[in-house]
Amino acid sequence: MSDVLHPRVRPRRLRTTPAMRRLVAETRIHPAELILPMFIREGASEAQPIASMPGVAQHSLDSFRAALHEAAEAGIGGVNLFGVPEHHDAIGSGATDPNGILNVATAIARQEVGDALVVQTDLCLDEFTDHGHCGVLAADGSVDNDATLVRYAEMALAQASAGAHLVAPSGMMDGQVAVIREVLDENGFQDVGILAYSAKYASALYGPFREAVDSQLRGDRRTYQQDPANRREGLREATLDLAEGADVVMVKPAMAYLDVLADVAAVSDVPVWAYQVSGEYAMVEAAAANGWIDRDRAILETLTGIRRAGADAVLTYWAVEVATRLLDR
């Protein structure tokens, strides 16, 4: 017997060359699995860069049109739209105004690229209220769940009328999916789907997003968004949304909640998506800008991890960049 041990099992054989590694890869990323969040600012004459999110901007309507066509040409799956209004009030009136920025942008997206991209609309009041919360406030300052559902139903009809393929309730109100499904069906919008923000956590990683939508938030959202300590609760919320008729369920944020994502993916009979949020984006960009990490590798590694955990598609601010890079390979 030789003094040198010779392993009988050698997993390294499948890592020997780039071609071999590519052939046996268990998880792949395709442009069609990437969705671009976009911000459209009312009254803007040109795109306005977001300081905390290098490479991301609040769009004017003209720059929005150009970015839509760029996204379609890159072959990504869709766009998720957020409006940044000039005026705010207690009930978020701009959210249901047909001439409000989000509904106008939705109609433009549907007209410009509606056959090439899925047009998704954020269904939440936070961008439109003067207090920055995701719902209507009660007299004691708390978020009134059931009064908010009335506004969500009105928003769903406004967004569907503007041309949304998917409305995306993100406010974490109890019963929101059921109410939205009912009002859409009763008004002839049976083909408009619901992307449910099912497991949405009260995360510190939303910081740059608050700048992106010019948030007016006072206080925090811990009475309706989930506690980051809770794993089973995320699965419970997703299960409730599935029962209420969600067409897609989503986990947000992504990278710090891969366990929740895997749990939801294991039981869902509809597509499961994840949102790689603004803080996740900003951390990679900041570290890369300081020379601490390889930016391009880090971007692909984070997206691969999210897909590996069970996401069928990912909302990411790198959607067009990554899609273009994949197509150029």
Side-chain angles (χ1 to χ4, degrees):
M1 178 178 176
S2 170
D3 291 337
V4 179
L5 294 178
H6 298 287
R8 298 183 63 184
V9 179
R10 296 181 182 271
R12 286 182 58 189
R13 292 189 188 109
L14 299 183
R15 305 174 199 146
T16 52
T17 68
M20 180 67 77
R21 293 191 293 273
R22 183 173 64 247
L23 180 62
V24 301
E26 299 174 31
T27 305
R28 304 178 192 278
I29 301 171
H30 189 278
E33 299 160 348
L34 303 175
I35 298 153
L36 178 67
M38 303 182 75
F39 306 101
I40 308 92
R41 186 177 188 92
E42 188 173 24
S45 58
E46 59 184 6
Q48 301 181 12
I50 300 167
S52 57
M53 300 174 68
V56 181
Q58 296 173 332
H59 284 288
S60 67
L61 292 180
D62 286 341
S63 70
F64 175 56
R65 288 185 175 90
L68 285 171
H69 287 283
E70 180 185 25
E73 290 168 6
I76 68 170
V79 290
N80 202 85
L81 307 183
F82 297 88
V84 185
E86 289 185 304
H87 305 289
H88 305 80
D89 60 31
I91 63 169
S93 300
T96 47
D97 181 351
N99 296 313
I101 185 59
L102 180 55
N103 297 320
V104 169
T106 301
I108 290 172
R110 188 63 187 265
Q111 179 180 7
E112 296 282 338
V113 295
D115 292 332
L117 297 174
V118 174
V119 178
Q120 306 167 193
T121 48
D122 183 57
L123 200 163
C124 194
L125 290 171
D126 60 320
E127 298 104 299
F128 299 93
T129 57
D130 56 11
H131 46 71
H133 279 287
C134 297
V136 177
L137 298 187
D140 62 1
S142 64
V143 175
D144 187 326
N145 190 95
D146 295 2
T148 299
L149 294 181
V150 175
R151 291 291 292 134
Y152 283 6
E154 294 167 349
M155 283 187 74
L157 290 180
Q159 293 178 0
S161 297
H165 293 112
L166 288 175
V167 296
S170 60
M172 291 299 291
M173 296 297 120
D174 295 339
Q176 62 186 15
V177 172
V179 165
I180 291 168
R181 184 70 272 157
E182 181 178 7
V183 74
L184 289 174
D185 289 351
E186 288 179 348
N187 287 273
F189 294 111
Q190 293 89 346
D191 290 337
V192 175
I194 298 175
L195 161 60
Y197 284 62
S198 298
K200 182 178 179 180
Y201 286 84
S203 173
L205 296 172
Y206 302 146
F209 178 89
R210 305 274 162 80
E211 178 190 354
V213 297
D214 191 22
S215 174
Q216 308 296 304
L217 181 63
R218 305 169 193 168
D220 59 53
R221 296 172 175 154
R222 295 180 184 179
T223 65
Y224 44 101
Q225 294 178 356
Q226 292 173 249
D227 186 335
N230 295 349
R231 177 176 179 173
R232 288 190 301 269
E233 186 182 47
L235 182 59
R236 183 188 187 204
E237 289 279 5
T239 302
L240 286 169
D241 284 351
L242 289 169
E244 291 180 13
D247 298 285
V248 183
V249 293
M250 187 159 68
V251 175
K252 179 184 180 181
M255 294 195 301
Y257 298 89
L258 296 182
D259 55 339
V260 178
L261 176 58
D263 290 346
V264 173
V267 302
S268 178
D269 57 358
V270 304
V272 178
W273 295 356
Y275 196 142
Q276 187 179 52
V277 301
S278 60
E280 298 173 72
Y281 175 92
M283 286 191 296
V284 171
E285 290 289 350
N290 280 281
W292 298 334
I293 60 174
D294 181 322
R295 178 182 179 277
D296 290 353
R297 285 186 61 195
I299 291 170
L300 288 179
E301 184 175 341
T302 60
L303 289 171
T304 300
I306 296 165
R307 287 276 291 113
R308 188 185 65 242
D312 298 299
V314 184
L315 279 72
T316 175
Y317 299 98
W318 289 304
V320 171
E321 176 187 338
V322 171
T324 303
R325 201 190 313 171
L326 292 172
L327 292 172
D328 289 342
R329 280 183 173 178

